Amino acid sequence: MKKFLNLLIVVLTIVSTLFTYSNISLRFRNNTIDSLNNKFSIANSKLTSENAYLRVLLRANSIDNINYVLPIGDAYDISDTSRLKPIKLFNKPRDKKFLVIRYTAIGCNSCVDMLFKILNNSNKINNKYDIIVLANYTDYVYFIRWFKVSEVRHNVLYLEKGSLNLTLENDHDSYVFVVDVDNKVSSIFIPNNLFPEYTEMYLQNILL
Amino acid sequence: MINIMIASYNYTVYCVILLLEIFILAGCHSNYVKEKVSTLYEIEIDESSLTATFDLTDFIDEIEVIPLVEREGYFIGDIYKAFYNKNHFIIYDRFNAPQVSLYGLNGEFIKRVLSIGKGPSEALQIDDCWLNDDETFEAWDQSLKKIFRFDNNFEFKETLNLKEGLYHNVIKVPNSEYYMAYVPISAYNRKFENKYYQLLFLDQNLKKQVGFFEFNDNIKGSLLLSFNNQFYIFNDTVRFMRSYDNNIYNFVGKELINEINIKYRNSINRIEFEELVIAHPEIFKNSSSYGLNESKKLLNNMAFFAGNWIENKDYIFFTSTYDYSKFITIIDKSTHKVIANTKVLQEKNKYNIILPQMINYNNNYFIGFINTYYLEHYLLEGSTLRQLVKSNNISFLMVRVKLKTMR
């Protein structure tokens, strides 16, 4: 009996040691593989989303939108919540281009916030362009909350969604474009806070 | 005789070692704890007899309205949570201008404690934050899986990192290095010890230690409401609460000690609610307005605990819903009886106002905030705050209330 117990203990000790060692080394290998997979997946995901974003920007500047001549539409002061006093847009002769920020409340607020941070600190852009925000929203409180937090310092008017015959009007993104002195649209851009470098690049380019 | 004794001793030792070996190989242990515990006390609520208003004036010792003086570059969009200690207010804006900011007792901006960014002391998103019993401050970023730690001057100290975990709320257990983390049923999380839990205890290295409130695959992914705050600390007790559960669970350390039952006239318990959810996945796993509307019909005419639990040694305030309309309950802690079940609390002495939702208590004061855009709706006739009404911008008034002590 004693010999049997001795033998059993020895066998079990060997088995449990082998089992534990195998378990530990397997876990270590799995952890290493998991970690590498994770890094690869993150890099891949970033590249994929950046490519998708660049394709969106290319499409935004397609022939359908570029050189489109804006109609002279009606906007409203944001305090005119009953929309009683329309304001005509782009109807006066001017020698400066407009930089228009088309804000929509259903878009990415943090994406367009970054744009305002740069604009608020850029004298060059403010000198070269008249900057105007054409905002669309359904909830006025939501809008003024955004207006406060984003520290918008430019002229803001309400403009109904779909008022501009640009393909982006039907999307859920806020976007930016240049209107030249002949009311032609160019340099359309959709800010995205995942790619802040593109926003900086865009604003540098429109200064050229 | 001695040989027999030695042989017996050896035999016993061998058996113990044998059992140990079998135990190691089996590798079997469990941290699952059943949640059935004793009831500390019951609160009975008759949700069918609510008052439209309740005058809290006679209970108030002091009340003060302090305008928050914000600073450009650090504007707050909305106040998701706020904390108060003897020197500061700590304001947490979760969604609009995500940040945690520090304000003085006079309402003036002092500094931003935590902001959004890519720096080592910045978060990608701020999902929760809490003030510890030692006056240090911590915040949780679910996307980075980090806890940001600040000293009691609100200076950034360090981060704690997790490998995994999508927690809606996190809090540090008083007098310990442990954390409690709340997991919504809809969140994707890995199993712990082969089970899904809604409440997890994490050790000082943020490793899962023990789980409570197990749920199964058949309810996993259901879209259920989560409160701003699933936890409330009272002395050394952490009260845990969750939606559609009329029990408040009291934890001391890692132990579930007892529970407080809230008994409504017409409600269902958590088990019955989960059975309802499991029976209707087309409603509770449907993120469209159909799901929301149909769930409202299913739970029609029922009352549930709805969070916002805050208390001092004399009173408890909390919110309930009845027929999807909210009401406030105030409980006298000495008798556990209802003082008020009401839609609105009023103060009719100093300011003549409707009181905002009280969102926290510390250092003898309950605090709540009024958005000045809506201030007009809070003013009673003859209110002294009328000059603060601003219809075209948003700023905040902090309302600080000290209640009279009962004993």
Side-chain angles (χ1 to χ4, degrees):
Chain A
M1 182 64 178
K2 192 173 161 183
K3 271 188 184 171
F4 172 73
L5 282 174
N6 279 341
L7 186 62
L8 189 61
I9 285 168
V10 167
V11 166
L12 284 175
T13 305
I14 293 170
V15 168
S16 66
T17 308
L18 285 171
F19 178 77
T20 308
Y21 173 73
S22 163
N23 203 12
I24 291 171
S25 67
L26 191 65
R27 278 192 190 181
F28 178 74
R29 269 205 303 276
N30 281 345
N31 282 346
T32 311
I33 291 169
D34 279 347
S35 171
L36 285 170
N37 269 344
N38 203 27
K39 286 180 182 166
F40 176 72
S41 170
I42 290 168
N44 193 30
S45 173
K46 190 166 191 278
L47 270 171
T48 308
S49 61
E50 192 168 350
N51 280 342
Y53 175 54
L54 288 170
R55 278 200 295 275
V56 165
L57 291 181
L58 269 173
R59 241 192 342 263
N61 285 281
S62 70
I63 199 162
D64 292 330
N65 291 326
I66 294 301
N67 289 329
Y68 163 72
V69 177
L70 281 179
I72 300 168
D74 287 348
Y76 299 88
D77 194 277
I78 51 172
S79 59
D80 179 12
T81 50
S82 304
R83 318 274 188 262
L84 295 173
K85 296 177 189 170
I87 298 168
K88 293 288 179 196
L89 282 175
F90 312 123
N91 60 334
K92 291 180 185 156
R94 56 191 184 271
D95 51 13
K96 248 170 131 176
K97 295 182 188 181
F98 270 102
L99 180 65
V100 179
I101 297 138
R102 182 63 167 132
Y103 167 76
T104 176
I106 55 173
C108 165
N109 277 353
S110 54
C111 298
V112 79
D113 287 352
M114 190 183 44
L115 184 74
F116 285 112
K117 274 196 175 58
I118 302 173
L119 287 175
N120 287 346
N121 291 314
S122 173
N123 286 333
K124 284 183 183 173
I125 295 179
N126 284 285
N127 289 339
K128 185 170 177 180
Y129 292 91
D130 279 329
I131 301 176
I132 188 169
V133 180
L134 299 178
N136 172 263
Y137 48 86
T138 49
D139 183 329
Y140 183 64
V141 177
Y142 181 89
F143 167 72
I144 58 166
R145 189 177 287 142
W146 166 79
F147 182 76
K148 171 195 175 188
V149 160
S150 301
E151 299 185 41
V152 179
R153 292 178 194 162
H154 306 96
N155 194 17
V156 182
L157 297 175
Y158 173 85
L159 183 71
E160 185 84 30
K161 197 159 177 57
S163 295
L164 301 170
N165 200 9
L166 297 171
T167 54
L168 291 174
E169 273 289 284
N170 300 317
D171 291 350
H172 295 162
D173 295 310
S174 297
Y175 60 98
V176 191
F177 57 94
V178 170
V179 179
D180 69 16
V181 296
D182 297 324
N183 284 356
K184 282 188 187 167
V185 168
S186 65
S187 303
I188 301 174
F189 178 72
I190 304 166
N192 187 325
N193 63 338
L194 290 177
F195 308 105
E197 63 275 19
Y198 287 107
T199 301
E200 286 168 11
M201 212 184 299
Y202 169 76
L203 291 172
Q204 278 163 13
N205 281 342
I206 62 170
L207 282 173
L208 295 172
Chain B
M1 179 68 183
I2 292 172
N3 284 341
I4 292 168
M5 283 173 65
I6 291 171
S8 301
Y9 173 74
N10 285 342
Y11 182 71
T12 308
V13 168
Y14 286 140
C15 287
V16 166
I17 292 171
L18 178 63
L19 279 170
L20 271 173
E21 302 282 5
I22 293 170
F23 182 75
I24 289 167
L25 277 173
C28 174
H29 63 282
S30 172
N31 281 329
Y32 178 64
V33 177
K34 284 193 180 300
E35 284 84 19
K36 194 65 188 151
V37 287
S38 60
T39 301
L40 181 61
Y41 56 84
E42 272 185 2
I43 297 171
E44 290 189 2
I45 294 185
D46 181 1
E47 66 273 13
S48 59
S49 57
L50 302 176
T51 58
T53 63
F54 182 83
D55 186 353
L56 199 63
T57 310
D58 290 340
F59 292 81
I60 294 176
D61 187 15
E62 285 174 38
I63 179 169
E64 202 182 351
V65 173
I66 304 166
L68 277 190
V69 181
E70 298 177 62
R71 190 183 293 177
E72 200 173 287
Y74 303 96
F75 287 132
I76 301 168
D78 204 359
I79 297 173
Y80 188 78
K81 267 195 197 178
F83 305 90
Y84 170 66
N85 66 14
K86 56 183 185 302
N87 296 313
H88 304 105
F89 298 106
I90 303 106
I91 307 291
Y92 166 35
D93 181 344
R94 186 174 179 193
F95 296 117
N96 293 275
Q99 64 186 294
V100 177
S101 298
L102 200 64
Y103 285 76
L105 294 182
N106 57 1
E108 296 230 355
F109 175 81
I110 297 174
K111 67 174 180 178
R112 184 174 278 167
V113 176
L114 180 61
S115 56
I116 301 298
K118 293 181 182 175
S121 62
E122 292 176 316
L124 266 189
Q125 61 191 55
I126 307 169
D127 294 284
D128 199 8
C129 58
W130 55 95
L131 191 63
N132 292 320
D133 49 349
D134 59 0
E135 304 275 298
T136 56
F137 187 76
E138 290 177 289
W140 160 240
D141 179 340
Q142 185 173 256
S143 61
L144 289 177
K145 296 189 185 29
K146 278 185 181 177
I147 290 178
F148 291 82
R149 300 179 111 182
F150 301 85
D151 64 22
N152 47 18
N153 292 317
F154 300 93
E155 292 294 328
F156 171 71
K157 220 167 69 169
E158 61 185 353
T159 56
L160 293 180
N161 302 322
L162 286 89
K163 275 194 179 165
E164 45 116 10
L166 289 175
Y167 307 128
H168 184 265
N169 283 117
V170 180
I171 201 155
K172 196 167 187 190
V173 176
N175 307 314
S176 83
E177 293 300 312
Y178 282 81
Y179 291 86
M180 289 168 82
Y182 166 72
V183 178
I185 279 173
S186 56
Y188 173 75
N189 266 302
R190 289 190 193 164
K191 289 182 177 180
F192 170 61
E193 302 289 333
N194 267 329
K195 293 184 171 80
Y196 293 117
Y197 292 104
Q198 276 217 277
L199 179 65
L200 290 161
F201 276 82
L202 314 175
D203 67 13
Q204 60 267 45
N205 298 314
L206 302 180
K207 284 197 179 143
K208 296 172 190 173
Q209 288 297 303
V210 66
F212 292 85
F213 307 103
E214 186 187 345
F215 62 96
N216 296 321
D217 278 306
N218 50 10
I219 198 174
K220 192 174 181 335
S222 300
L223 302 167
L224 304 180
L225 178 74
S226 285
F227 303 143
N228 284 16
N229 226 342
Q230 314 290 145
F231 303 107
Y232 187 79
I233 293 181
F234 183 72
N235 296 335
D236 62 348
T237 301
V238 180
R239 303 205 200 283
F240 170 69
M241 48 209 90
R242 55 182 180 167
S243 58
Y244 304 109
D245 188 342
N246 298 329
N247 293 327
I248 312 299
Y249 301 94
N250 297 320
F251 287 84
V252 175
K254 284 186 288 175
E255 300 287 323
L256 174 56
I257 302 300
N258 48 43
E259 60 191 39
I260 299 168
N261 300 142
I262 303 175
K263 288 192 91 169
Y264 298 96
R265 279 192 150 208
N266 187 19
S267 190
I268 52 176
N269 64 36
R270 179 67 187 206
I271 295 171
E272 290 165 335
F273 174 75
E274 288 191 8
E275 284 168 0
L276 200 66
V277 171
I278 291 164
H280 296 279
E282 77 285 0
I283 293 174
F284 291 98
K285 293 190 180 181
N286 187 329
S287 59
S288 72
S289 56
Y290 169 81
L292 183 62
N293 293 334
E294 291 302 306
S295 67
K296 281 185 179 178
K297 283 181 199 168
L298 259 185
L299 301 169
N300 201 21
N301 284 327
M302 291 190 206
F304 287 101
F305 171 71
N308 295 315
W309 176 289
I310 51 170
E311 65 182 287
N312 66 0
K313 63 177 177 54
D314 296 317
Y315 303 103
I316 303 169
F317 287 67
F318 61 88
T319 303
S320 305
T321 54
Y322 174 50
D323 228 359
Y324 280 90
S325 179
K326 286 195 174 178
F327 65 93
I328 302 163
T329 299
I330 307 176
I331 300 294
D332 174 346
K333 280 174 86 167
S334 63
T335 59
H336 308 134
K337 293 281 183 251
V338 172
I339 295 173
N341 269 333
T342 184
K343 297 280 181 109
V344 146
L345 293 170
Q346 294 174 334
E347 185 274 327
K348 287 184 173 179
N349 183 22
K350 188 173 178 184
Y351 294 108
N352 273 307
I353 56 170
I354 291 171
L355 292 170
Q357 176 81 52
M358 293 291 136
I359 60 174
N360 217 331
Y361 172 83
N362 200 4
N363 278 312
N364 300 316
Y365 290 93
F366 290 89
I367 58 169
F369 291 85
I370 297 175
N371 182 332
T372 54
Y373 184 83
Y374 298 112
L375 180 57
E376 185 78 54
H377 302 290
Y378 284 85
L379 302 180
L380 302 173
E381 203 176 309
S383 174
T384 53
L385 296 182
R386 198 156 289 279
Q387 77 276 15
L388 296 177
V389 170
K390 294 175 190 179
S391 58
N392 273 335
N393 68 33
I394 287 174
S395 58
F396 299 94
L397 303 175
M398 184 177 48
V399 180
R400 192 173 73 157
V401 175
K402 188 178 181 184
L403 297 180
K404 290 174 182 168
T405 50
M406 278 183 174
R407 38 182 189 273

